[in-house]
Amino acid sequence: MATEASQPRTRAPRPSIGALEWLRQNLFSTWWNSLLSIVLLFLVFQALSSLLRWVVTTEGWIAVTSNARLLLVGRYPPDQIWRPELVVMLIALLLGLSGGVWRGIPLVLAAGFSVAMAVLGVLSLGLPPDQAPPVFSTRLFLFGVAALAALGIAAGWRLREALRWPLVAGWILLYPATILILRGVGDATIGTNLWGGLMLTLILAVSGIVLSFPLGVLLALGRRSNLPVIKWFCVGYIELIRGVPLVTVLFMASLMLPLFLPANVRVDAVVRAIVAVTLFSAAYLAENVRGGLQSIPRGQVEAARALGLNVVQTTLLITLPQALRAVIPVLVGQFIALFKDTSLVVIIGLMDLLGAAQAIYTQPQWFGIPGGVWRETFFVVAGIYWIFSFTMSRTARQIETNVNVGRL
């Protein structure tokens, strides 16, 4: 028999109030609040009007639009620009198919990507034609990518069951295919010294995230190992890497590593940067995963042993999945920080997105513009970083909601 205490309690709906009443209660309830509200509203109006005036009247946007290719792909050869365009098309197709097959977060990302490309295509209609157009014009490429993502959603929606495993294989093969397409083979090889802009930033970030994750998990498991050699090696590596800044690791990989190699052995600069970013990120990721492993109750391990599971089965099936689930927010925060830390490679001579921005505002043809073009250039770069970081953050938030992280 249900008692009064056991019956569910329903929260009484809050009475709705009008806009004027809300303003009176929250902004103009007393003379002091009214004075503060008026002053703050005036300051906000002045800031927004100044920002709008700067956006509309400044001449610096010409430098950004005319150097869009430099921001996106760096010094990549103009006659080979179809290679990164092909990679973007593959990503759009896989993202669209994933949205149609798995729905949820992939569907939101695919739809947002398609809409963003379509909006950029509309905005590009007002830009002057490219000085050295690639195989497909910029406008046709943007609209084509938007349509490809939309068609992928429709195809994935209809062929949901048949495309599950091919899509998994496609995402796994996308990374090596991207490197192969961008670099080329034989006489058509394009040196990585020509890679740059947003393309190089994404390659460094994705490589660091994908490669550091398994390495960090192995280091976390090794630090908890009962074998002294493995345990102390992992402890030494983690503490050594965590004790130095990323700039030091990048300088070691770029400047000092060639001194220890034979004269006829040369490691690519981008490969050295990827290795440095991966090794640095893996040490921090290992500590995050170790914290998740320590949060698992000891009784679950004992129960798994009682059921006859060995150490490997207990780790892969019981403890590790729960540990990774518990540290999703921390891992995503580290991945976002890694994406932004890739800007440090400009110190070792690589032209990433930040390096491309520096190359734009130092061009002599823009010296005559009052105030220069550095504000507009870095505003666009900051917007690009924010878009990717915000997308990663919101995606992780949705994943947390789906797996009920942090809920009782």
Side-chain angles (χ1 to χ4, degrees):
M1 182 175 181
T3 62
E4 182 180 355
S6 63
Q7 293 179 355
R9 298 180 179 178
T10 59
R11 183 177 298 177
R14 299 179 61 181
S16 59
I17 58 176
L20 294 178
E21 182 65 19
W22 184 91
L23 291 175
R24 189 190 67 80
Q25 293 181 5
N26 293 275
L27 299 181
F28 303 99
S29 57
T30 63
W31 71 270
W32 176 246
N33 287 341
S34 301
L35 179 61
L36 287 179
S37 298
I38 292 174
V39 172
L40 291 177
L41 288 174
F42 176 76
L43 294 177
V44 170
F45 174 77
Q46 290 293 328
L48 292 179
S49 59
S50 300
L51 178 62
L52 181 61
R53 191 182 310 111
W54 168 67
V55 170
V56 174
T57 61
T58 184
E59 300 178 6
W61 301 115
I62 302 176
V64 177
T65 55
S66 60
N67 287 278
R69 179 175 297 166
L70 183 63
L71 281 175
L72 295 177
V73 296
R75 296 187 297 266
Y76 205 83
D79 59 332
Q80 299 293 320
I81 204 69
W82 61 269
R83 296 177 181 272
E85 288 182 350
L86 178 59
V87 172
V88 175
M89 290 180 180
L90 291 176
I91 295 174
L93 179 60
L94 289 176
L95 191 58
L97 291 173
S98 300
V101 170
W102 288 301
R103 322 286 170 83
I105 299 174
L107 180 59
V108 174
L109 293 177
F113 182 76
S114 179
V115 172
M117 291 296 105
V119 170
L120 290 177
V122 173
L123 294 177
S124 68
L125 295 176
L127 299 179
D130 297 331
Q131 299 297 326
V135 178
F136 300 104
S137 68
T138 302
R139 299 162 183 82
L140 181 60
F141 167 71
L142 292 173
F143 286 120
V145 169
L148 194 61
L151 291 175
I153 295 175
W157 202 281
R158 293 177 60 89
L159 305 174
R160 184 177 184 182
E161 297 300 330
L163 291 177
R164 288 183 179 272
W165 290 110
L167 267 179
V168 174
W171 281 112
I172 295 175
L173 296 176
L174 178 63
Y175 180 79
T178 298
I179 301 300
L180 181 63
I181 292 173
L182 294 178
R183 186 172 178 81
V185 293
D187 296 335
T189 300
I190 299 175
T192 56
N193 60 311
L194 300 177
W195 296 13
L198 179 61
M199 179 182 70
L200 180 60
T201 297
L202 292 178
I203 289 175
L204 292 173
V206 172
S207 301
I209 292 173
V210 172
L211 299 178
S212 67
F213 184 79
L215 180 58
V217 171
L218 291 177
L219 288 171
L221 296 176
R223 184 161 187 170
R224 291 168 55 88
S225 175
N226 295 325
L227 299 177
V229 176
I230 297 178
K231 178 179 180 179
W232 290 112
F233 171 80
C234 294
V235 170
Y237 172 84
I238 293 173
E239 298 302 329
L240 176 64
I241 297 298
R242 282 165 54 89
V244 296
L246 178 57
V247 176
T248 303
V249 181
L250 289 172
F251 272 120
M252 288 285 294
S254 177
L255 302 178
M256 298 192 64
L257 180 62
L259 300 178
F260 298 95
L261 297 176
N264 57 344
V265 176
R266 289 292 181 269
V267 181
D268 190 271
V270 173
V271 174
R272 288 183 301 211
I274 291 175
V275 172
V277 171
T278 300
L279 296 179
F280 183 83
S281 179
Y284 284 85
L285 190 142
E287 287 298 278
N288 296 334
V289 176
R290 184 173 70 93
L293 291 171
Q294 290 180 338
S295 67
I296 306 301
R298 180 68 181 175
Q300 296 199 21
V301 178
E302 296 174 354
R305 299 288 178 82
L307 293 174
L309 300 180
N310 56 33
V311 176
V312 176
Q313 292 173 330
T314 302
T315 301
L316 296 180
L317 301 177
I318 306 298
T319 58
L320 187 58
Q322 296 184 73
L324 295 178
R325 174 180 175 272
V327 296
I328 287 177
V330 182
L331 294 181
V332 174
Q334 181 181 338
F335 292 155
I336 293 175
L338 175 62
F339 171 70
K340 293 183 290 185
D341 286 343
T342 55
S343 59
L344 294 175
V345 299
V346 70
I347 300 176
I348 59 175
L350 297 179
M351 183 183 286
D352 68 323
L353 184 58
L354 184 62
Q358 293 178 346
I360 290 175
Y361 78 81
T362 57
Q363 293 173 348
Q365 61 265 34
W366 312 119
F367 289 166
I369 296 180
V373 298
W374 63 271
R375 287 186 296 267
E376 294 79 9
T377 304
F378 284 111
F379 181 83
V380 173
V381 171
I384 294 174
Y385 276 111
W386 179 84
I387 290 173
F388 280 93
S389 299
F390 180 76
T391 302
M392 295 170 64
S393 176
R394 297 305 300 177
T395 302
R397 181 67 177 272
Q398 188 62 41
I399 294 175
E400 295 174 34
T401 303
N402 293 343
V403 298
N404 295 321
V405 173
R407 294 188 178 185
L408 298 177

